[in-house]
């Protein structure tokens, strides 16, 4: 039976690679994994895991600002991130 050993340099390289991947994942999570600028209601409900009624309440009480264009409601990326991170929009 042959046993292969890992050198310190190989472990250091693995550590650096893992740390980079973890930082990239955390950076994406901090940004909510959101890359586009504007979202429709269905996308926001899916991102936040909320019902249509809850989203309507967010609009009514000003928790989540929106813009209405041609009968379609749009929500900005920044406002969604603020809501997800518990920051006040007002």
């Amino acid at each position: 039976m042959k046993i292969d050993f890992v050198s310190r340099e190989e472990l250091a390289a693995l550590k650096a690679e893992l740390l980079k991947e973890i930082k990239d994942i955390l950076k994406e999570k901090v940004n909510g994994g959101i890359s586009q600028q504007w979202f429709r209601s269905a996308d926001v409900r899916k991102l936040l895991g909320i019902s249509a009624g809850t989203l309507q309440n967010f609009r009514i009480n000003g928790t989540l600002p929106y813009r209405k264009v041609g009968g379609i409601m749009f929500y900005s990326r920044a406002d969604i991130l603020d809501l997800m991170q518990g920051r006040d929009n007002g």
Side-chain angles (χ1 to χ4, degrees), residues 29-44:
K29 292 293 182 189
V30 166
N31 291 328
I34 301 174
S35 60
Q36 68 190 63
Q37 182 63 31
W38 293 95
F39 294 84
R40 292 178 179 215
S41 294
D43 299 324
V44 174

Side-chain angles (χ1 to χ4, degrees), residues 45 48-61 63:
R45 290 194 319 264
L48 300 177
I50 60 175
S51 68
T54 299
L55 183 56
Q56 182 178 5
N57 286 335
F58 284 174
R59 286 193 306 267
I60 291 169
N61 66 24
T63 301

